[in-house]
Amino acid sequence: MAAVVRLLRRYPLVALTLLVGVVGGTLELAGAGGAARWVVSLFAVGVAAQQARGMLADLRAGTYGIDILAVTAIGSTVAVGEYWAALVVCLMLAGGEALEDHAAGRARRELTALLARAPQTAHLVTGDGGTRDVPVAAVVAGQELLVKPGEVVPVDAVLLSAAATVDESSLTGEPLPVEHRRGAALLSGSVNGPDALHVRATAAAADSQYQRILDLVRAAEESRAPFVRLADRVAVPFTLGALALAALAWAASGDPVRFAEVLVVATPCPLLIATPVAFLAGMSRAAKNGVIVKDGGTLERLARVRTAAFDKTGTLTHGHPRLAAVHPADGVRDPELLTLAAAVEQYSAHPLAQAVVAAARARHLPVPPARDAEEVTAAGVRATVGGRRVVVGGAGFVADQAGGVADVGVEPGQTLVHVAVDGRYAGALALADEVRADAAATVADLRRAGVRRTLMLTGDAAPTARHVAAAVGIEDVRAGLLPQDKVAVVRAVPERPVLMVGDGVNDAPVLAAADVGIAMGARGSTAASESADVVILRDDLHRTVRAVRVGRRTMRVAWQAIGIGVGLSVGLMVLAAAGFLPAIVGAGLQEVVDLACILWALRAARPGRGETAGPAGPAVQGPGRRERVDAEPLPVAS
Ligand code: ADP
Ligand code: MG
């Protein structure tokens, strides 16, 4: 009972409509039929007038309101004395809003779950070893924090405690808790396990990945535009058809009641409610899979993708290259070359740079500080080390400074990082990156999902690029590209929409230029996740296929819901035109139609039949697939 009262209070128009119904009914029973007619009719006309005002505002804003049918239905039923049917139509209009709220709430459940978790306070570890609670927004990088059992990690941080078990499921969709050791990076938004943890913040809340995700989720929740467009394509013909059929029924029967009877079953609430519900449900389902889709329009484009373009380093490959060989120039020794390269590369976030630094550390070589470090995106880094000008990077970049680079033979799949010192060529480091085990399956499954053309866009040299492309089954390779060249290639692709998958390191421009930009991994650069339309929260390339599948299913379900609503409605209209459907019965049946197609639209939140989670079918689903990925990396340099 209390729940009913709460509902009525939240939706006053529903309450008012019911009240008018009770008053009218009482008058009718008391034998005052005329008064009942007046009360109910006046109320219905009032509701219609209010709707008409909203409709005019819609028209002025350039969107077609399809509530014109509802307004005409109320007007005509009142005019022919079917005022009870008019009241039912009013109830449907008022209830539609309540129904939409409820269905949308269910559809966006997963999205809301992410928002609800956002922590408000953090426990700052003070000098005396105690803690003090501060607002999350006040945390700065470098501060030590305590995360209590079951709490959400408030900002990106490194683990100071020996070990931690955290649940990253709301970020990555990975259901199993993840183990981390001291020094590991913890993602903000993951939920701590049973032990209290000490961590050191590596970013303020506003710069933490979780904040980016929350921003994306908020954008996803608020996006509405494409819903309207989809329904509008059907709305105009539907409205005109309904009015024409109603007029025809009137003309043929000579009875204006027929006109009202047809329009009562023509109110196309499904078009207004079912599509947004389907889109929200689709975005919610994607979020559950660790894929944040920025808006409904993206989902629609995902469903139609024709071309898929991939970045190489960090996207098709793991992006954790290791040093395979050192090729010093004459008069230079291996350790010296590596030390100088690492000294410069420590200032770069590029995967190759990190690999060079890691290799120097692994060999216990010193990594001296450098001055005036300057990175040229997708080319290399320059800096001064102990008074010497050191340049590290791709062949073209280093050749510009050193007048040329040595033509050392590399094994297929290896990438060369060249080094010049004081304007003279000093040698090259060969780095080998492993192709992701599921890269080939991802490309194949995207083809199966309707992608016609695949491209690789890379800043790396052509031989390396061709080798990786052959290993994963990509036909068209463009190598040696700068970020602006990647943009130009994507713009020129004729088969659209174009999907671009990048790992986030210097890929922000091309992700923005593509019709659907997918940024891989919540650890990628924040600039990339801002310019992308989709962010995959896990370092899992195959989720691109899931994103496309969710898009396709959402569109299918949305169109089905529209089909069911319009189909049933047209069937009822024909019955009404033939005189088999009294207005009051029709008005009631229309409510059933609305409910049916909203329930259908909610199906977009669930996986379709035959949809599998992992690449290449059920045999490699779930945790088993992960083991396969970890246990059998596919070396490029083989
Ligand atoms: P991709 O498009 O495959 O992700 P990038 O555009 O990030 O590659 O880099 C392209 C090329 O630029 C690399 O293959 C490398 O030769 C060079 N390069 C860029 N930054 C660096 C760096 N910090 N250290 C060494 N080489 C670099
Ligand atoms: Mg890259």
Side-chain angles (χ1 to χ4, degrees), residues 311-313 345 348 350 352-353 375 378-381 393-394 417 458-460 486 506:
D311 169 55
K312 180 181 71 75
T313 317
E345 292 280 42
S348 167
H350 199 275
L352 291 174
E375 174 148 18
V381 190
V417 170
T458 178
D460 208 343
K486 294 187 182 183
N506 69 44

Side-chain angles (χ1 to χ4, degrees), residues 136-505:
V136 168
V139 174
V140 296
Q143 284 180 331
E144 187 180 338
L145 305 173
L146 179 75
V147 184
K148 295 180 183 170
E151 280 186 346
V152 172
V153 178
V155 295
D156 291 344
V158 289
L159 184 60
L160 299 177
S161 306
T165 309
V166 299
D167 173 1
E168 296 177 353
S169 62
S170 70
L171 295 170
T172 64
E174 176 57 53
L176 298 175
V178 186
E179 307 270 345
H180 288 294
R181 310 243 144 255
R182 177 176 293 135
L186 294 184
L187 284 177
S188 52
S190 37
V191 180
N192 187 16
D195 309 310
L197 303 178
H198 281 267
V199 302
R200 186 174 306 287
T202 50
D207 304 324
S208 289
Q209 279 299 335
Y210 193 43
Q211 199 53 50
R212 303 281 159 224
I213 293 163
L214 294 181
D215 291 346
L216 278 179
V217 169
R218 279 192 204 106
E221 275 208 316
E222 281 158 18
S223 91
R224 291 198 84 89
F227 311 157
V228 181
R229 254 186 282 129
L230 186 62
D232 272 355
R233 263 180 252 161
V234 185
V236 175
F238 182 79
T239 307
L240 293 178
L243 287 171
L245 185 62
L248 202 71
W250 182 358
S253 66
D255 182 2
V257 173
R258 287 286 169 86
F259 183 79
E261 283 172 350
V262 171
L263 285 186
V264 155
V265 289
T267 42
C269 241
L271 292 179
L272 292 175
I273 301 177
T275 16
V277 166
F279 274 96
L280 270 176
M283 290 195 275
S284 196
R285 165 143 182 262
K288 194 175 180 186
N289 278 286
V291 179
I292 303 292
V293 178
K294 210 177 255 177
D295 53 32
T298 302
L299 220 43
E300 196 187 346
R301 288 194 297 280
L302 269 173
R304 293 184 288 116
V305 159
R306 284 284 166 273
T307 300
F310 298 86
D311 169 55
K312 180 181 71 75
T313 317
T315 302
L316 291 172
T317 67
H318 281 289
H320 303 298
R322 54 188 174 74
L323 185 64
V326 183
H327 304 286
D330 288 342
V332 182
R333 289 185 325 130
D334 277 18
E336 189 192 1
L337 183 63
L338 194 50
T339 295
L340 286 174
V344 173
E345 292 280 42
Q346 64 187 318
Y347 299 98
S348 167
H350 199 275
L352 291 174
Q354 290 175 345
V356 170
V357 176
R361 293 240 161 83
R363 269 151 235 228
H364 305 290
L365 294 172
V367 180
R371 282 190 301 110
D372 307 329
E374 180 202 357
E375 174 148 18
V376 179
T377 302
V381 190
R382 279 189 283 256
T384 308
V385 186
R388 296 202 272 174
R389 269 319 271 166
V390 181
V391 180
V392 185
F397 182 64
V398 174
D400 280 350
Q401 322 277 323
V405 297
D407 184 18
V408 287
V410 293
E411 299 197 27
Q414 290 185 351
T415 298
L416 285 179
V417 170
H418 296 274
V419 184
V421 179
D422 286 333
R424 285 192 30 217
Y425 186 66
L429 306 169
L431 295 154
D433 197 1
E434 277 160 0
V435 173
R436 289 175 192 267
D438 55 0
T442 300
V443 172
D445 287 347
L446 280 175
R447 281 228 175 78
R448 227 163 279 145
V451 168
R452 304 255 171 79
R453 202 169 150 195
T454 50
L455 279 170
M456 180 200 283
L457 309 180
T458 178
D460 208 343
T464 314
R466 271 200 295 272
H467 180 83
V468 175
V472 303
I474 288 181
E475 57 224 5
D476 193 350
V477 182
R478 312 291 173 88
L481 302 181
L482 294 175
Q484 62 268 32
D485 303 330
K486 294 187 182 183
V487 170
V489 172
V490 159
R491 289 232 169 96
V493 169
E495 289 104 331
R496 304 196 84 96
V498 184
L499 174 89
M500 171 76 207
V501 194
D503 69 326
V505 180

Side-chain angles (χ1 to χ4, degrees), residues 98-143:
L99 203 60
E100 179 173 12
D101 277 3
H102 177 73
R106 265 192 63 181
R108 64 162 79 99
R109 199 156 43 192
E110 301 293 338
L111 293 173
T112 321
L114 276 167
L115 290 177
R117 273 205 196 161
Q120 303 299 322
T121 56
H123 317 297
L124 194 63
V125 176
T126 50
D128 55 8
T131 61
R132 184 161 52 87
D133 285 1
V134 295
V136 168
V139 174
V140 296
Q143 284 180 331

